[in-house]
Amino acid sequence: MAKRGETREKILGAAAQLAAEHGISATAVDDIAAEAGVAKGSVYYNFGSKERLYAELLGETLQRAGQRLRESLDGARPGDAVRAVAEAFLRGLQEHPSSSKVVAAELFRLDRPWRESLAEYRSLFFSIFAEALEADGRPASPANAAAVFGSTIMVGFERMLFADRLDLEEAIAAIEGAD
Amino acid sequence: MAKRGETREKILGAAAQLAAEHGISATAVDDIAAEAGVAKGSVYYNFGSKERLYAELLGETLQRAGQRLRESLDGARPGDAVRAVAEAFLRGLQEHPSSSKVVAAELFRLDRPWRESLAEYRSLFFSIFAEALEADGRPASPANAAAVFGSTIMVGFERMLFADRLDLEEAIAAIEGAD
DNA sequence: GTCTATAGGGGGATAGAC
DNA sequence: GTCTATCCCCCTATAGAC
């Protein structure tokens, strides 16, 4: 064992899971270490502080999501772009539910260390959705992008939390045709 | 001074404002007392614990919002119901930004003391939006209700945080015609 | 690179005067 | 009903052995 980076992965996974349930502040580094099956010292050796640990978790999650959305947009036919981006987003939530929840809880916080990084990614997501609207020949104002992005997040979270209720097709149809 | 309930109001206001900025866990009772201009003992005399204080703040906020949405729905003409409910929601955010932010940060937490109360109100909001869709003769599935509700929240928060960007009419138009 | 043990500070809660 | 003073636990972070 002790494959390169393996400890870091275990810690990041535990940190995501616990913060998804209890929030970042309410998650203790002791709990993260216990959940990851490592000693607390290892957490500090690998990440320096709790703050940097979560900054890294959020950064990784956001970057992965941004890449995924960008690729789905670039690969989509005009007329199908919003659908493609929304589907990519929903699949991302499904594959990384814990870190997604952590990001969601941070989305509207204004005074955190990772505030700027988060704001950048929010802008990125908005502009990807705006581009998708444009590619589909739909009005692409900031307000419209926010509306579609909001639908996508809310529908995605409903699916995640009450998974039995919404299948993927139904969810995407609701996002696309929110009116 | 010392009008009945005045201290409670000051404490609730301070608790809302601080938690909107830092989150509930990161807000200390000492800070709440200082911000409210009362002693910490008064917080405990009036609310018993930090947990009960925030349970009450959330409960009040949700009840007020529910009432507001319900009234706007009941008073709306068919065909104008979604617009009326969305507008009521946006105005509520504008009038109570702090407590709204606190609620938003809690919306997807699963293990909190006030979890059940929150889930009830979320269902209530969903069903109000579903009714509004129905009144307007639009498809009113749970997914569609979630999508409209999500648009409304996201657009509302964008307005609240970057107020210069979106006027009310533009915001409502985006929510109504999200596609 | 991971562990155990401990330091140090902050925060929730209570006691008791006024 | 509001205040001040204090308790004590828990949590972040560090030191130092292995």
Side-chain angles (χ1 to χ4, degrees):
Chain A
M1 52 204 82
K3 218 169 35 182
R4 220 177 90 82
E6 190 178 307
T7 298
R8 286 175 62 90
E9 290 308 311
K10 284 193 295 188
I11 293 169
L12 282 169
Q17 186 200 317
L18 292 172
E21 289 168 14
H22 311 292
I24 293 177
S25 304
T27 299
V29 175
D30 291 83
D31 299 338
I32 296 171
E35 179 71 29
V38 303
K40 178 153 67 163
S42 295
V43 176
Y44 282 91
Y45 176 83
N46 280 283
F47 294 94
S49 72
K50 180 182 171 181
E51 181 178 314
R52 279 203 284 275
L53 165 58
Y54 277 104
E56 189 152 327
L57 176 68
L58 291 168
E60 267 189 15
T61 304
L62 289 163
Q63 192 183 356
R64 188 174 51 222
Q67 209 161 7
R68 185 189 272 274
L69 295 192
R70 168 58 61 192
E71 282 166 11
S72 70
L73 174 61
D74 291 344
R77 301 189 318 277
D80 194 47
V82 170
R83 184 205 158 76
V85 172
E87 179 172 342
F89 193 96
L90 293 182
R91 288 195 190 280
L93 281 190
Q94 228 167 349
E95 284 169 30
H96 304 279
S98 295
S99 51
S100 299
K101 285 184 206 174
V102 180
V103 170
E106 293 296 317
L107 258 191
F108 296 110
R109 285 291 164 71
L110 293 176
D111 72 326
R112 298 270 193 160
W114 41 74
R115 189 193 134 282
E116 297 206 354
S117 156
L118 237 157
E120 266 177 46
Y121 278 103
R122 195 169 60 208
S123 300
L124 174 62
F125 295 164
F126 272 63
S127 66
I128 289 176
F129 273 95
E131 277 183 56
L133 284 169
E134 206 162 14
D136 287 359
R138 291 162 58 177
S141 73
N144 285 299
V148 178
F149 185 46
S151 305
T152 308
I153 285 186
M154 183 64 72
V155 170
F157 272 85
E158 280 297 300
R159 286 190 74 221
M160 212 161 59
L161 301 179
F162 310 99
D164 50 328
R165 291 206 196 150
L166 293 173
D167 80 354
L168 186 63
E169 290 309 316
E170 192 187 354
I172 293 173
I175 293 165
E176 279 204 284
D179 98 327
Chain B
M1 49 207 82
K3 219 170 36 184
R4 218 177 92 82
E6 191 178 305
T7 298
R8 286 176 63 91
E9 290 309 311
K10 284 193 295 189
I11 293 169
L12 283 169
Q17 186 200 318
L18 292 172
E21 289 168 14
H22 310 132
I24 293 177
S25 303
T27 298
V29 176
D30 291 83
D31 299 338
I32 297 171
E35 179 71 28
V38 302
K40 178 153 68 163
S42 295
V43 176
Y44 281 92
Y45 175 81
N46 280 283
F47 295 95
S49 73
K50 180 182 173 182
E51 180 179 314
R52 278 203 287 273
L53 165 58
Y54 276 105
E56 190 153 326
L57 176 68
L58 291 167
E60 267 190 16
T61 304
L62 291 163
Q63 192 183 355
R64 188 174 50 222
Q67 208 161 7
R68 188 189 270 275
L69 295 192
R70 169 56 62 191
E71 282 165 11
S72 71
L73 174 61
D74 290 344
R77 302 190 317 277
D80 194 47
V82 169
R83 184 206 158 76
V85 171
E87 179 172 343
F89 193 96
L90 293 183
R91 288 194 190 279
L93 281 189
Q94 229 168 348
E95 285 169 29
H96 304 277
S98 296
S99 50
S100 299
K101 285 184 206 174
V102 180
V103 170
E106 293 296 316
L107 259 189
F108 297 109
R109 287 291 166 70
L110 293 175
D111 73 325
R112 299 271 192 158
W114 42 74
R115 189 193 134 281
E116 298 206 355
S117 156
L118 237 158
E120 267 177 45
Y121 278 103
R122 195 169 61 208
S123 300
L124 173 63
F125 295 164
F126 273 63
S127 65
I128 289 177
F129 273 94
E131 277 183 55
L133 284 168
E134 207 163 13
D136 288 358
R138 292 162 59 177
S141 73
N144 284 301
V148 178
F149 185 47
S151 306
T152 308
I153 285 187
M154 183 63 73
V155 170
F157 272 84
E158 280 297 299
R159 285 190 76 222
M160 211 162 59
L161 300 179
F162 310 100
D164 50 328
R165 292 207 195 149
L166 291 175
D167 79 356
L168 186 63
E169 290 310 315
E170 194 187 352
I172 293 173
I175 293 165
E176 280 204 283
D179 97 326

